Amino acid sequence: MEQTRPDWNPRSDQVLADQIKAYDKMRHQCPVAYSDYLGWSLFRHEDVVRALEDHHGFSSAVSSHLSVPSGMDPPQHTTYRRLIERRLAPAHVSAFEPLCRMISAELVSSLPRGKQIDLVAQFAQLFAVRIQCAFLGWPRRLHDPLLRWIQRNHNATLARDTEAMTAIALEFDGYIGELLEVRRNAGATAPDDITTDLLREEVDGRPLSHEEIVSILRNWTVGELGTITACVGILVHYLGKDLAIQQRLRECPDLLPVAIDEILRLHAPLIANRRITTKPVEIGGRKIGAGERITLIWASANRDEAVFDQPDEFRLDRDPSQNLLYGRGIHDCPGAQLARLELRVIMEELLKSASRITLVPGCPPTIALYPASGFSELPVRLA
């Protein structure tokens, strides 16, 4: 078995200063690399795809806590995945567009013109939490607590503070417990939303347990708030750098769906995902034993020159099937269509309302740190 001497330090100042650049370098120099922090990291597109598609050799059951369904393998995963996919069917997603557009237009109209703003705190985070609560049927009073919860969860994950992570998970359980209790007490008059639907759902002939419902909603919330915030920041930053592309998309909004996917290929909103080996494997010339942690570096795989010619180039003619933005295989993101709708609508409203979006000279953005991506602060001006 391969000696586990570290090949790199993913928490070094050099890596954290520019994660995308650092991962590009690792893909060229050491495409399968070991570190004490991440275990084995895969940087090449072909290696990441192999791990995604081989769920027998690379298990998703990596968490010590129940994680429905992302932390499950078939056949258990299949049952829960179908349950969630029903809530994200095309008809449900399409029906959400008017409310999504109303929320987007309200937030865009509230932004000051000609003044410096922090697009992350004053726009992207607010959009993510409002859109999440609206889709799940949660009350507005949860907006601020959820924003604080996401930040504490991120800090604990970054520090690998398992005690804090457990306490934070229990705090989320409390929020959901209150929502579920209201719906149980309301009976037939409970709000007609996804959260209520989960109370009525069955798996293998029995109702979903409280723990299962909380896990589903926790995974949904973390995925939505963190990645949608990152996506909006990345998109606005890119268009703020390239005013020609910004104007092109303003004039041709039909190009937005493919343009959004391409910008998020260039700068991944989700840095990585995890697996664990179930048997000894050899990948990229490295021998890895059973039970080893594997980190799939999306932020590198989606910039692999072997798949994407001139990967730094913004192009609208790339093969969409190669873009791993929403994953691949049985664990591809079930909310991909919803996320695409939300991002398209918010960017349509922003480009329609603002005649020009620019970065602020002398005020560089603050890059978010692993496991987050995008920006923790993004100074911009809207005209």
Side-chain angles (χ1 to χ4, degrees):
M1 181 175 139
E2 186 86 19
Q3 291 295 315
T4 53
R5 185 174 62 186
D7 298 302
W8 70 308
N9 178 7
R11 304 185 77 181
S12 70
D13 292 341
Q14 184 178 12
V15 170
L16 295 179
D18 190 337
Q19 293 180 97
I20 305 298
K21 180 179 179 181
Y23 301 151
D24 283 346
K25 183 178 179 181
M26 290 299 298
R27 185 175 66 252
H28 299 142
Q29 295 183 355
C30 189
V32 180
Y34 180 80
S35 69
D36 294 330
Y37 184 56
L38 296 180
W40 293 94
S41 294
L42 309 183
F43 293 93
R44 293 188 303 201
H45 190 279
E46 66 174 303
D47 295 335
V48 169
V49 167
R50 174 184 165 187
L52 290 173
E53 296 185 340
D54 178 12
H55 57 269
H56 297 291
F58 298 86
S59 170
S60 295
V62 297
S63 176
S64 58
H65 301 286
L66 179 67
S67 181
V68 183
S70 56
M72 295 174 167
D73 297 318
Q76 186 184 34
H77 166 268
T78 308
T79 301
Y80 290 94
R81 170 74 184 223
R82 288 173 180 163
L83 180 156
I84 289 170
E85 285 177 339
R86 290 199 292 273
R87 271 77 199 163
L88 293 162
H92 290 301
V93 173
S94 296
F96 182 60
E97 180 165 350
L99 181 54
C100 179
R101 191 168 297 280
M102 184 187 75
I103 292 170
S104 300
E106 286 179 1
L107 285 171
V108 169
S109 67
S110 71
L111 294 174
R113 301 303 193 263
K115 296 181 180 180
Q116 178 177 322
I117 63 168
D118 176 7
L119 188 106
V120 174
Q122 293 176 248
F123 185 67
Q125 289 179 348
L126 300 178
F127 173 69
V129 76
R130 284 193 62 181
I131 219 71
Q132 163 76 354
C133 288
F135 190 75
L136 292 178
W138 294 358
R140 294 176 66 95
R141 62 179 172 79
L142 275 184
H143 292 178
D144 288 341
L146 281 176
L147 286 171
R148 293 192 295 268
W149 182 84
I150 284 291
Q151 185 58 53
R152 289 197 297 274
N153 187 59
H154 167 72
N155 293 340
T157 303
L158 179 63
R160 293 210 169 218
D161 185 338
T162 55
E163 186 174 332
M165 290 167 70
T166 299
I168 290 165
L170 289 174
E171 179 185 341
F172 186 88
D173 191 327
Y175 295 145
I176 302 306
E178 291 178 13
L179 294 172
L180 296 179
E181 188 64 23
V182 167
R183 284 156 174 77
R184 288 190 183 100
N185 292 336
T189 63
D192 182 16
D193 57 33
I194 290 175
T195 306
T196 299
D197 286 347
L198 290 174
L199 280 172
R200 299 166 178 163
E201 191 61 63
E202 292 188 351
V203 171
D204 298 329
R206 61 163 179 84
L208 284 174
S209 70
H210 176 83
E211 185 182 15
E212 288 167 336
I213 295 174
V214 169
S215 178
I216 290 170
L217 294 174
R218 184 190 301 119
N219 284 343
W220 209 327
T221 303
V222 173
E224 180 83 355
L225 269 62
T227 55
I228 290 295
T229 296
C231 285
V232 173
I234 290 166
L235 292 168
V236 173
H237 179 260
Y238 192 88
L239 297 183
K241 287 195 308 178
D242 197 320
L243 299 182
I245 292 177
Q246 180 185 143
Q247 187 58 26
R248 183 183 178 191
L249 295 178
R250 185 175 283 110
E251 294 170 355
C252 305
D254 289 348
L255 296 177
L256 268 171
V258 65
I260 288 170
D261 278 11
E262 173 67 353
I263 292 169
L264 298 178
R265 179 197 64 78
L266 289 162
H267 187 161
L270 181 65
I271 292 292
N273 210 322
R274 298 183 295 161
R275 295 292 188 272
I276 189 168
T277 53
T278 61
K279 59 186 178 182
V281 298
E282 183 171 339
I283 190 164
R286 308 295 295 264
K287 294 180 179 179
I288 302 173
E292 292 283 323
R293 290 180 296 136
I294 306 291
T295 304
L296 314 179
I297 308 290
W298 310 108
S300 169
N302 251 356
R303 296 170 51 81
D304 191 337
E305 299 84 351
V307 177
F308 303 100
D309 182 47
Q310 300 296 315
D312 281 317
E313 217 175 87
F314 172 85
R315 284 173 37 184
L316 299 179
D317 62 347
R318 298 193 187 275
D319 179 358
S321 69
Q322 296 300 319
N323 192 333
L324 302 178
L325 174 60
Y326 293 103
R328 179 180 288 191
I330 64 170
H331 285 284
D332 66 341
C333 177
Q337 185 177 352
L338 176 62
R340 285 188 166 109
L341 167 75
E342 293 169 351
L343 294 174
R344 172 179 60 80
V345 169
I346 192 66
M347 294 309 296
E348 284 174 352
E349 293 299 320
L350 189 58
L351 290 172
K352 180 173 64 176
S353 175
S355 60
R356 188 178 176 92
I357 305 167
T358 55
L359 305 181
V360 179
C363 296
T366 302
I367 298 174
L369 300 180
Y370 184 92
S373 184
F375 306 93
S376 55
E377 293 181 359
L378 178 58
V380 301
R381 285 195 182 96
L382 308 183

